[in-house]
Amino acid sequence: DTLNQLAQGTNSADKTFSLGKIILDAWPIMLPILCLSFYAIYLFISKLFSYNAALKNTDSLINSVTNSIEKGNLDAAQNACKANSGIVPAMLNAGINKLGRPVDEVEKAMENAGKLELAKLEKGTSLLGMIASIAPIFGFIGTIVGVIMIFYKISLQD
């Protein structure tokens, strides 16, 4: 019972467990964890929206570009690609620009355009990995500090 009281940071008159008090007592460790958590959630949601935006309306764009190319109207196909943003329009536009050249050259141009667009979408995602590496360290530090405080309070009781 005494160990429980020491772990909770309460005196003998107050035997209730208070998670809020523990969080307030541990704010130097909890604040960075909370900030990292909110930032990771923000990054995740923003990247989710940007990925969804990059992939929307691709079917109608592909149909429009295909119809324009079949009719021989390359300008309309390029304009349709330029009117949209994302990986698919950039790849299609790169392919249209290389029409009439060897297939390998067209494929390489489309692949390079896709890689460039993907790099734009992935910008900032390395921060998620860094946060995933740093946040547990704060948790371990908090645990160690808590254990040290418990043993210190036990040593004061003797």
Side-chain angles (χ1 to χ4, degrees):
D1 193 38
T2 304
L3 183 60
N4 234 359
Q5 290 174 357
L6 291 173
Q8 295 172 8
T10 60
N11 59 27
S12 59
D14 183 16
K15 293 185 178 185
T16 60
F17 176 79
S18 172
L19 183 61
K21 181 172 179 356
I22 291 173
I23 291 173
L24 287 176
D25 288 344
W27 74 267
I29 300 296
M30 296 295 280
L31 185 63
I33 293 172
L34 187 66
C35 290
L36 289 172
S37 298
F38 283 136
Y39 191 64
I41 291 168
Y42 163 76
L43 279 176
F44 174 76
I45 291 172
S46 68
K47 290 300 169 184
L48 183 67
F49 282 125
S50 63
Y51 286 143
N52 285 337
L55 296 175
K56 72 176 187 178
N57 298 330
T58 56
D59 291 337
S60 61
L61 174 67
I62 290 171
N63 290 336
S64 171
V65 169
T66 303
N67 290 336
S68 296
I69 290 173
E70 286 174 352
K71 293 176 184 175
N73 193 353
L74 296 181
D75 290 334
Q78 285 180 324
N79 289 337
C81 291
K82 290 177 184 176
N84 293 290
S85 61
I87 295 174
V88 174
M91 290 175 66
L92 289 173
N93 193 30
I96 293 168
N97 288 334
K98 298 289 183 178
L99 277 179
R101 296 192 178 165
V103 175
D104 291 343
E105 195 173 327
V106 175
E107 286 177 354
K108 187 166 183 146
M110 292 178 74
E111 185 178 328
N112 288 337
K115 286 180 182 177
L116 288 173
E117 289 297 316
L118 192 59
K120 289 178 192 176
L121 287 175
E122 289 177 347
K123 185 177 181 183
T125 55
S126 61
L127 289 174
L128 285 173
M130 188 170 63
I131 290 171
S133 299
I134 293 173
I137 294 171
F138 282 108
F140 295 142
I141 291 170
T143 302
I144 291 168
V145 169
V147 169
I148 291 171
M149 288 173 49
I150 289 171
F151 282 120
Y152 177 73
K153 288 181 181 182
I154 288 173
S155 72
L156 292 178
Q157 293 292 320
D158 292 336

